[in-house]
Amino acid sequence: MIQTSNFWLLLFSTVLIYWFLPLKFRAGFLALASYAYLASIEPVAVTVLIAWILVFFYVTPHAMTEKQPTRLIVPALILAILGYLFYYKYFPILVGLFPTLEFLKSPIVPLGISYFTFKLIHYAVEVVRGNITDRSLSRFFCYIFLYPIFTAGPIERFDHFLANREDSWQRQSMVEGATRIVYGLIKLFVIGKLFIAQLLQPWVTGGSVLTPLDLISHLTSLQTHEVWGYLALTFLYAYIEFSAYSDIAIGASRLYGFRIMENFNFPILASNIGEFWKRWHMTLVGWIQRYIYLPTIGLTRSPYAAVYSTFLTMGLWHGATSNWILWGAYHATGVSIFLTWGRIKRSRGWHTVLGNSWKYVGVPFTFAFVTGSYAFSATSGYGGWTGLRVFAKLLGYNLGLNPLH
């Protein structure tokens, strides 16, 4: 979205109008401007979202009574919006398995569906918990539709959105927002697209810019270190690109006086996989920890069940493919091993012996472990067996073609 001229035209034309308007009209104006921009990209799905917003806004408060029937309101709303997400994002996978269902398939996935689904679920749950009491429809519309963060996050919390907004123009906020946007553009175009993609990758992979298809097609002939290099750069590029989009989204929102939640905190410097997941896509991790991890651990009393449910959910959030399921299982296994190691260290007192000086040794190992997960995510369009083949190549093995074919 940020690579279109309309995004920048909207940003620079509405910021001035926004601050000249009386306070009571600003949220409604920004919501309307965001809707108009998003509707110009995908009018039907974005308009349907209005219905979802109205349903969640007006129906959710009725679940706060103690009557048994009303306690089913929020679960029903959550199942409904998850069904909407499933139909567009995951049902096409089933259609591929059962061609007779082809007539039910929708050709277009609604814009930003994963992000607004999680935001609506967050709103419903927190209203019932009593953590959200604001009943302004214009602010709720603004929260859901806010165009800088609509498609790529961060996954803002409504309570944070309300508590971290400014009611008057602040010069410092303008400077911070503009600086953050410039920072994001430099990361995206100079570091990401120019340095990593065009200069560094050919040097690492033997003189050519590889695509995932090139990697798969020449997998047996590539050297192990070349595959490691390709996936490491894929990881780096994904981080630079995604964090750059977050920078621009946070900076653009800052121009309107909103201090949006941070999404990255230099995850490539993490010294262990646990710390990595406290630094990477922090708003998604925070959402899943709040609504998947904690309920699961409360239900099962097993941190390992909670970890696996967390990462499988995270994998499915990215895509309903065997690659993303393997990706989730890979990270869940890594975090589970890390948790077990932590328990062993504490029980034997090794954490006091090893101290903090050893944590920096873990940085390259953590980087390598995360790089390994890109064997699955970088090949997400080519099937889980292909991901396993690439991962085996990282270990120096050549697996054959899918034995099922």
Side-chain angles (χ1 to χ4, degrees):
M1 289 174 58
I2 68 160
Q3 299 184 41
T4 66
S5 57
N6 288 340
F7 175 91
W8 299 107
L9 179 63
L10 178 68
L11 178 64
F12 295 122
S13 63
T14 57
V15 165
L16 289 177
I17 299 174
Y18 177 85
W19 287 112
F20 274 113
L21 287 173
L23 178 61
K24 63 180 180 179
F25 296 125
R26 289 176 190 165
F29 167 75
L30 185 54
L32 184 61
S34 296
Y35 165 76
Y37 171 66
L38 297 169
S40 70
I41 301 173
E42 197 173 299
V44 176
V46 173
T47 302
V48 169
L49 178 56
I50 293 177
W52 283 110
I53 293 173
L54 293 174
V55 168
F56 271 76
F57 183 80
Y58 285 112
V59 175
T60 299
H62 294 289
M64 298 179 68
T65 66
E66 293 299 323
K67 296 180 180 179
Q68 187 66 26
T70 61
R71 293 174 63 184
L72 300 178
I73 288 178
V74 166
L77 286 176
I78 292 174
L79 287 175
I81 193 64
L82 287 176
Y84 185 70
L85 174 68
F86 177 85
Y87 173 70
Y88 284 101
K89 193 167 182 178
Y90 306 115
F91 186 71
I93 306 298
L94 295 179
V95 170
L97 300 176
F98 303 99
T100 56
L101 300 176
E102 183 69 30
F103 71 99
L104 295 174
K105 181 179 178 180
S106 174
I108 300 175
V109 178
L111 188 69
I113 187 171
S114 296
Y115 286 93
F116 70 70
T117 296
F118 275 23
K119 289 167 81 172
L120 288 172
I121 292 174
H122 152 74
Y123 175 80
V125 173
E126 297 306 322
V127 165
V128 172
R129 289 177 175 175
N131 295 326
I132 294 175
T133 57
D134 188 283
R135 297 301 300 154
S136 168
L137 183 59
S138 62
R139 284 194 285 270
F140 187 49
F141 264 97
C142 184
Y143 163 68
I144 297 295
F145 274 125
L146 187 63
Y147 72 94
I149 66 172
F150 189 83
T151 59
I155 306 175
E156 178 73 352
R157 295 198 320 264
F158 191 45
D159 54 341
H160 185 276
F161 178 77
L162 294 174
N164 291 274
R165 73 185 193 278
E166 295 169 347
D167 294 335
S168 60
W169 184 87
Q170 301 290 335
R171 179 180 178 183
Q172 183 62 29
S173 297
M174 298 298 106
V175 173
E176 289 177 6
T179 302
R180 194 66 179 268
I181 289 172
V182 171
Y183 181 45
L185 290 173
I186 291 173
K187 285 171 68 175
L188 180 62
F189 292 104
V190 178
I191 301 176
K193 295 185 181 297
L194 178 60
F195 179 70
I196 295 178
Q198 298 299 322
L199 299 178
L200 194 56
Q201 197 208 76
W203 178 73
V204 170
T205 56
S208 61
V209 177
L210 293 180
T211 65
L213 182 59
D214 294 329
L215 173 70
I216 297 165
S217 301
H218 302 92
L219 188 60
T220 55
S221 60
L222 288 172
Q223 298 295 316
T224 297
H225 72 272
E226 291 177 321
V227 179
W228 271 106
Y230 173 81
L231 293 181
L233 290 180
T234 301
F235 168 31
L236 275 177
Y237 184 82
Y239 163 58
I240 292 296
E241 182 180 49
F242 196 3
S243 64
Y245 283 128
S246 294
D247 288 333
I248 294 167
I250 291 169
S253 300
R254 196 81 187 96
L255 297 181
Y256 296 104
F258 297 105
R259 190 177 294 275
I260 301 300
M261 298 169 67
E262 293 293 337
N263 223 11
F264 293 91
N265 183 24
F266 299 100
I268 57 175
L269 301 180
S271 59
N272 57 65
I273 192 59
E275 183 184 353
F276 174 84
W277 283 110
K278 293 178 181 178
R279 292 166 169 253
W280 175 275
H281 206 338
M282 295 185 294
T283 57
L284 173 62
V285 174
W287 190 98
I288 291 182
Q289 182 183 41
R290 193 179 186 96
Y291 302 116
I292 302 295
Y293 179 86
L294 292 177
T296 302
I297 203 170
L299 182 65
T300 65
R301 302 297 178 184
S302 170
Y304 300 106
V307 165
Y308 273 91
S309 64
T310 292
F311 282 100
L312 290 177
T313 299
M314 200 179 301
L316 289 172
W317 183 84
H318 284 90
T321 66
S322 54
N323 296 70
W324 283 112
I325 292 173
L326 289 170
W327 176 92
Y330 175 89
H331 276 287
T333 302
V335 172
S336 296
I337 293 172
F338 174 72
L339 289 175
T340 302
W341 170 241
R343 287 185 171 185
I344 293 173
K345 285 198 303 180
R346 287 191 297 272
S347 65
R348 302 193 178 186
W350 291 350
H351 63 288
T352 57
V353 175
L354 295 175
N356 292 326
S357 60
W358 284 89
K359 69 178 183 178
Y360 300 106
V361 177
V363 173
F365 290 100
T366 303
F367 186 91
F369 179 82
V370 177
T371 294
S373 71
Y374 278 78
F376 306 109
S377 58
T379 60
S380 60
Y382 301 95
W385 182 256
T386 299
L388 289 172
R389 289 184 64 216
V390 175
F391 184 74
K393 186 68 177 183
L394 293 177
L395 303 178
Y397 298 100
N398 286 312
L399 294 182
L401 298 177
N402 193 335
L404 298 179
H405 292 169

